[in-house]
Amino acid sequence: MTESIAAGLVYRATIWIATPSMIGMDPDKYAVAISVVSDEGIGAISDLGFYGSTPIYHIIHVIVMDVSGLSPATTLQLTSTVLYAIVPVVTVAHLTTVLSGHRAAKLGSILAAAGGSTIVYSTLTIPQSTMLILWYLVASILIIGQHNLLRTLLLVIFLAIMAGLHKLGALLPLGGITAIAVIYLIGIIRDSRALTMRHLGHYFLISGLIFGVQMVWLTAWIKGTIAKLIYIVSGSTIEPTVDTPAATTIDGLDSLIFEHGSWMVLMLAAGIAGIWLFYTQSDRKTAGLLGIVGTSTLIIIGAIASPFSLSVERAIGIGEPFFIILAVIGAVILSKQTNRSVAPVIVALLLITQLVGAGAVPDHPVEVQEYLTDDEVNAKQWANAHLDQEIYGNYFIAQEITDFEGERATHKTGEGGGFPEGWSPASEYLVTGNLSGADGCFFLRKGQDKVQYNGLHQLTYDPITRLEHSNRSAVFENSDVVIYC
């Protein structure tokens, strides 16, 4: 396990160091918000809007930042890198040892150290990432199933913090407890000696109470959910559709497998093992594992099928350690049944698929690059210092903040997802080809022909060539970027 943790630290640190800017959309806003709290005190949280809705997250990182002397961005990335290199591996190793023995634990630790989906969270430094770390601990308590005062107290503390970190923070444990209870009931029907559910009733009441408080008081998520359900029931669309005459949609089975094959293969292996265990095992711990995996699977299905704001990659992170545990247990059982050493081969294949998945590779061919290169960082800093017009750029470039204390840096949520002042996404203008419709400057990556806009699109023209023949002029250029105003 120690070797796996070390390997995970190296892996995640490599991704962090190799990407000059923060990855994703929200992390830099949280860095700005944490900087504000550090400078102005805890009272400033009330003025941070959306990015101040998780005070526990801010307080923890302000303490780390002030004690260590690190910058807000480094604090966020360092803590998440360390946490995600340690907690998933320890979770998998501990639970797999309890459920299947030391051999399975070693194989599970290796797979958990380089889980493709968790790399998203080792770089996507947002409160949901911290919430998931606590979820792994809560799920471990539920799976082990030993009921005592200390475990109950830890459960209450973890649930309260989770509810304050993310909208799913209280729903996940509630769903997990419910799913475990269902598996327990099935086990009791099959074998009256099998299980007792008394402690689950206590846990259900605790999680239900915290969930109710969160929905009514701590967040406005329930209001947004009801509004979206009304839209769906009434037949309305959540977002207006826009024709994309200047781009073609990138889809198809090959693209789907190439982008999502890593977690699809892992879930397939876990699903086969889960079905086997469901019919052959009736002990408390196996029931707990199957309940947690079932809950995670439902969340993933919801992320794929529903219009709600949860990406598939983030949903995968909810259940990945537990899918790994199931897949490894299944591989070890198969080895024992066949008297062959197939478990290491299966784990090696799963490891390869994880390491080539879109979640593990920031420059994955089927994804738009979600971070800024050094030249792009320099270009954005130049634009912030020299341009006073609205600037339109790649969605992730428009989101990124390069100077946390600059005039254009903001932690507030604005129209379209909280872009810094003076920046807007160019996606719609690019896929429609209507570049003249944008009143301001264009910040374009050289050679980029893919655009994220309600899915991945391939441009059928070169926007830089079109701008060269327009009434705009190039005002800045380096090896990666050109800016037209």
Side-chain angles (χ1 to χ4, degrees):
M1 184 179 71
T2 303
E3 293 84 353
S4 297
I5 291 174
L9 280 169
V10 172
Y11 178 38
R12 286 165 171 78
T14 300
I15 297 293
W16 168 24
I17 294 170
T19 51
S21 70
M22 304 284 276
I23 290 182
M25 297 169 284
D26 287 334
D28 46 7
K29 315 299 187 305
Y30 285 108
V32 174
I34 289 168
S35 179
V36 170
V37 173
S38 177
D39 293 340
E40 301 180 13
I42 299 300
I45 290 178
S46 61
D47 299 325
L48 298 180
F50 175 82
Y51 293 98
S53 61
T54 53
I56 295 174
Y57 184 78
H58 292 74
I59 292 170
I60 291 172
H61 284 91
V62 165
I63 293 172
V64 174
M65 186 180 76
D66 290 344
V67 170
S68 65
L70 299 172
S71 69
T74 302
T75 299
L76 286 169
Q77 290 173 311
L78 178 64
T79 53
S80 60
T81 295
V82 171
L83 286 174
Y84 264 87
I86 295 176
V87 177
V89 175
V90 173
T91 299
V92 170
H94 174 61
L95 291 178
T96 312
T97 300
V98 172
L99 291 163
S100 187
H102 291 288
R103 185 190 180 200
K106 291 179 180 178
L107 294 173
S109 297
I110 294 170
L111 192 53
S117 302
T118 56
I119 194 65
V120 173
Y121 293 96
S122 73
T123 49
L124 188 58
T125 47
I126 57 178
Q128 183 177 333
S129 305
T130 305
M131 183 274 289
L132 285 187
I133 291 294
L134 294 174
W135 161 239
Y136 298 157
L137 301 178
V138 167
S140 298
I141 292 174
L142 297 177
I143 291 171
I144 295 301
Q146 294 177 353
H147 179 57
N148 56 45
L149 181 60
L150 176 60
R151 291 176 184 272
T152 303
L153 181 60
L154 285 175
L155 193 74
V156 172
I157 294 172
F158 289 160
L159 288 183
I161 297 174
M162 287 172 64
L165 288 173
H166 192 262
K167 58 195 176 187
L168 294 179
L171 180 61
L172 275 177
L174 183 62
I177 292 167
T178 303
I180 293 172
V182 171
I183 302 294
Y184 270 33
L185 283 173
I186 295 173
I188 291 172
I189 293 172
R190 289 163 50 189
D191 182 356
S192 60
R193 300 169 301 166
L195 305 164
T196 178
M197 296 176 56
R198 184 177 302 171
H199 74 285
L200 280 182
H202 299 156
Y203 290 166
F204 182 86
L205 290 175
I206 292 169
S207 61
L209 177 62
I210 293 175
F211 176 75
V213 172
Q214 183 201 37
M215 290 297 97
V216 174
W217 182 52
L218 291 180
T219 77
W221 183 59
I222 190 63
K223 297 178 182 177
T225 301
I226 293 173
K228 287 186 178 182
L229 288 174
I230 292 174
Y231 272 114
I232 295 170
V233 172
S234 64
S236 303
T237 56
I238 301 299
E239 296 179 352
T241 56
V242 176
D243 291 331
T244 58
T248 57
T249 303
I250 298 177
D251 52 19
L253 184 60
D254 54 343
S255 178
L256 176 68
I257 294 175
F258 195 29
E259 182 176 8
H260 300 293
S262 57
W263 62 264
M264 292 169 67
V265 172
L266 178 62
M267 284 190 67
L268 176 62
I272 295 172
I275 293 172
W276 173 265
L277 290 176
F278 179 78
Y279 284 105
T280 60
Q281 304 290 331
S282 59
D283 62 282
R284 183 193 309 275
K285 295 180 179 62
T286 300
L289 176 61
L290 293 177
I292 295 299
V293 168
T295 301
S296 303
T297 302
L298 289 177
I299 294 290
I300 294 169
I301 293 172
I304 296 172
S306 78
F308 301 114
S309 57
L310 179 66
S311 71
V312 175
E313 289 81 1
R314 298 186 188 187
I316 296 300
I318 291 172
E320 188 188 32
F322 313 107
F323 295 137
I324 289 174
I325 293 169
L326 260 185
V328 169
I329 290 176
V332 171
I333 291 174
L334 183 60
S335 286
K336 292 179 179 178
Q337 294 287 333
T338 59
N339 292 319
R340 295 179 180 178
S341 299
V342 297
V345 176
I346 293 175
V347 170
L349 292 174
L350 289 173
L351 183 62
I352 292 171
T353 59
Q354 289 283 286
L355 290 174
V356 300
V361 184
D363 286 322
H364 200 276
V366 298
E367 292 286 341
V368 175
Q369 181 181 298
E370 297 185 10
Y371 68 93
L372 278 65
T373 65
D374 286 324
D375 277 345
E376 289 167 350
V377 170
N378 293 335
K380 187 157 188 179
Q381 289 174 329
W382 182 91
N384 284 334
H386 294 89
L387 301 177
D388 56 6
Q389 303 179 57
E390 190 73 11
I391 308 171
Y392 296 85
N394 166 282
Y395 192 86
F396 299 102
I397 287 177
Q399 283 270 7
E400 199 81 11
I401 291 174
T402 55
D403 180 4
F404 298 140
E405 298 180 356
E407 292 184 2
R408 290 182 184 250
T410 179
H411 46 72
K412 297 185 182 300
T413 302
E415 183 179 353
F419 297 94
E421 183 180 353
W423 287 86
S424 296
S427 307
E428 183 175 335
Y429 299 103
L430 291 172
V431 297
T432 60
N434 182 28
L435 302 185
S436 61
D439 183 18
C441 301
F442 272 97
F443 183 111
L444 296 178
R445 285 171 163 164
K446 292 182 178 179
Q448 180 176 317
D449 58 356
K450 292 185 178 70
V451 176
Q452 278 284 0
Y453 184 75
N454 294 330
L456 190 62
H457 291 78
Q458 180 97 31
L459 298 180
T460 57
Y461 70 102
D462 181 4
I464 293 179
T465 300
R466 182 169 297 184
L467 287 172
E468 286 176 350
H469 296 88
S470 68
N471 59 353
R472 288 184 171 91
S473 302
V475 297
F476 180 91
E477 183 174 5
N478 62 24
S479 60
D480 289 348
V481 174
V482 60
I483 303 176
Y484 282 85
C485 294

